[in-house]
């Protein structure tokens, strides 16, 4: 996973005082975006409180101003910048004598650069540091201790939109599979935005406590969600699934458990199903969804024996 380093040049008093609350809010949103992708600390050459965000105040002074940030934002900032390493030692370890961007010496950008970490620099919004990457001019020592010139680049972000441009550096980690039906139910909206569950399916899912069964249900629902997202109004085909999907017979389609009323008041036939073990587990669904990228889950539980 790529590392992120603070561009200290963006915290040299450039931010307008009238914009500082918005800038802090944007920085916090960037930290939350990065946390979701496993990045919890930002490398910096000094404590976050020692940066001068606006001409008249250090960040440590802004910590005490409730009109600029609340306690939660303050805690997140202090936590994210609390594990700073000595970036100047990192630079020296790479035999770098000097690194400049647009003629100005830099610390965070060179440590984040392709030359050292192939990571990302994080700048304050509204500070003028709003390019997606910067070219750096580096003076370093070769193996004979002779000075050489090197050109490199550093990627840079300053808000969530610009972070997304560098999304290849921060793939979203796959969530851990839940261990119980109740735990899975609490995460359905997060995991499966393209699935709608009938009330009965949710009630039966909550009663399932077998970790083996929940692991397979989790995988089958992932499969269903992926297929739903790809439908775009087109009819689904069994071959779209990574596991076997089959319909019930015409006789069994008359079972009341398969003709399910959903929260929109519509009764849908949930004949198609995926299987899971142990025993004869079934997930019944309807993909008769018109133009919607949605699959409706009508039943989760053991095979209906009639």
């Amino acid at each position: 996973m790529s590392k992120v380093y603070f561009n200290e040049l963006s915290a040299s008093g450039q931010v307008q005082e009238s914009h500082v609350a918005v800038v802090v809010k944007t920085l916090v949103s960037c930290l939350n975006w990065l946390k979701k992708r496993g990045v919890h600390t930002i490398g910096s050459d000094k404590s976050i409180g020692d940066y001068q965000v606006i001409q008249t105040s250090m960040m440590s002074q802004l910590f005490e101003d409730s009109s600029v940030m609340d306690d939660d934002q303050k805690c997140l900032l202090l936590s994210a910048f609390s594990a700073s390493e000595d970036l100047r030692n990192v630079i020296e370890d790479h035999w770098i004598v000097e690194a400049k961007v647009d003629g100005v010496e830099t610390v965070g950008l060179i440590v984040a650069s392709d030359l050292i970490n192939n990571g990302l620099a994080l700048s304050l919004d509204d500070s003028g540091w709003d390019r997606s990457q910067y070219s750096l001019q580096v003076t370093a020592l070769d193996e004979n201790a002779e000075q050489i010139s090197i050109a490199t680049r550093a990627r840079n972000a300053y808000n969530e939109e610009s972070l997304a441009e560098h999304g290849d550096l921060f793939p979203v980690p796959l969530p851990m599979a839940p261990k119980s039906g109740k735990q899975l139910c609490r995460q359905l909206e997060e995991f499966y935005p393209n699935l709608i569950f009938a009330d009965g399916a949710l009630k039966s899912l909550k009663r399932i406590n077998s970790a083996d069964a929940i692991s397979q249900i989790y995988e089958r629902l992932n499969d269903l969600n992926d297929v739903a997202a790809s439908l775009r109004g087109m009819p689904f085909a069994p071959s779209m699934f990574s596991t076997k999907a089959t319909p019930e017979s015409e006789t069994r389609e008359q079972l009341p458990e398969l003709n399910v009323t959903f929260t929109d008041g519509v009764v849908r036939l949930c004949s198609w199903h995926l299987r899971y073990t142990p025993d004869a587990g079934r997930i019944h669904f309807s993909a008769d969804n018109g133009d919607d990228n949605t699959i409706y889950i009508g039943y989760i539980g053991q095979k209906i024996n009639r």
Side-chain angles (χ1 to χ4, degrees):
M1 180 180 297
S2 299
K3 293 184 177 182
V4 180
Y5 297 90
F6 186 60
N7 174 19
E8 77 289 348
L9 298 177
S10 70
S12 303
Q14 305 100 313
V15 175
Q16 297 181 40
E17 188 168 355
S18 60
H19 294 172
V20 67
V22 175
V23 170
V24 169
K25 183 178 179 180
T26 301
L27 177 58
V28 167
S29 72
C30 288
L31 297 178
N32 283 322
W33 189 97
L34 290 164
K35 278 182 66 177
K36 291 177 182 178
R37 289 152 180 82
V39 180
H40 297 277
T41 58
I42 309 298
S44 59
D45 66 336
K46 54 186 175 183
S47 168
I48 184 64
D50 294 333
Y51 289 111
Q52 186 171 6
V53 181
I54 58 179
Q55 287 289 349
T56 57
S57 299
M58 308 293 285
M59 181 66 88
S60 57
Q61 295 170 283
L62 298 178
F63 284 155
E64 309 307 320
D65 188 344
S66 60
S67 68
V68 172
M69 70 182 80
D70 59 29
D71 288 342
D72 289 340
Q73 292 172 322
K74 175 182 175 180
C75 287
L76 179 58
L77 288 169
L78 289 171
S79 173
F81 286 85
S82 64
S84 301
E85 57 186 312
D86 191 335
L87 301 189
R88 296 184 186 275
N89 280 347
V90 173
I91 294 171
E92 290 178 5
D93 288 344
H94 285 76
W95 292 24
I96 293 174
V97 177
E98 183 181 69
K100 291 184 176 182
V101 54
D102 297 335
V104 181
E105 190 167 356
T106 175
V107 175
L109 286 167
I110 183 59
V111 177
S113 72
D114 294 350
L115 188 61
I116 296 182
N117 272 303
N118 195 26
L120 181 71
L122 181 63
S123 299
L124 293 180
D125 195 12
D126 198 42
S127 66
W129 292 87
D130 55 2
R131 298 184 216 162
S132 63
Q133 67 178 42
Y134 285 91
S135 298
L136 307 180
Q137 301 78 45
V138 180
T139 301
L141 300 178
D142 64 14
E143 61 272 16
N144 298 316
E146 298 288 337
Q147 289 194 0
I148 56 173
S149 296
I150 303 172
T152 188
R153 65 146 191 177
R155 298 204 206 184
N156 179 64
Y158 52 93
N159 58 23
E160 281 196 56
E161 183 178 353
S162 60
L163 279 170
E165 294 180 23
H166 305 288
D168 59 300
L169 296 175
F170 310 104
V172 179
L174 292 175
M176 292 183 63
K179 301 299 183 183
S180 70
K182 289 182 178 179
Q183 183 183 357
L184 180 54
C185 280
R186 289 195 294 267
Q187 298 170 289
L188 291 180
E189 187 174 346
E190 175 188 355
F191 289 168
Y192 311 119
N194 296 96
L195 304 182
I196 292 179
F197 294 81
D199 288 341
L202 293 176
K203 290 178 181 178
S204 59
L205 177 58
K206 289 178 181 178
R207 292 194 292 266
I208 299 174
N209 294 314
S210 165
D212 289 341
I214 289 299
S215 176
Q216 292 190 47
I217 292 170
Y218 171 72
E219 292 178 2
R220 302 295 183 266
L221 293 177
N222 282 336
D223 202 5
L224 282 159
N225 190 71
D226 290 343
V227 170
S230 67
L231 289 178
R232 297 183 175 87
M234 301 295 291
F236 91 96
S239 59
M240 300 172 73
F241 292 97
S242 61
T243 189
K244 186 177 182 180
T246 55
E248 294 286 0
S249 66
E250 291 185 6
T251 300
R252 286 181 59 80
E253 283 182 351
Q254 307 307 310
L255 293 173
E257 293 91 339
L258 300 184
N259 291 273
V260 183
T261 302
F262 286 80
T263 54
D264 60 1
V266 176
V267 177
R268 293 179 173 87
L269 173 62
C270 297
S271 173
W272 285 90
H273 58 274
L274 305 180
R275 302 182 182 194
Y276 66 89
T277 58
D279 302 321
R282 299 288 189 270
I283 300 175
H284 283 270
F285 63 91
S286 170
D288 183 14
N289 54 2
D291 296 329
D292 196 7
N293 285 30
T294 305
I295 286 178
Y296 292 82
I297 309 300
Y299 175 88
I300 300 174
Q302 292 303 302
K303 180 180 179 181
I304 302 166
N305 291 313
R306 289 284 184 92

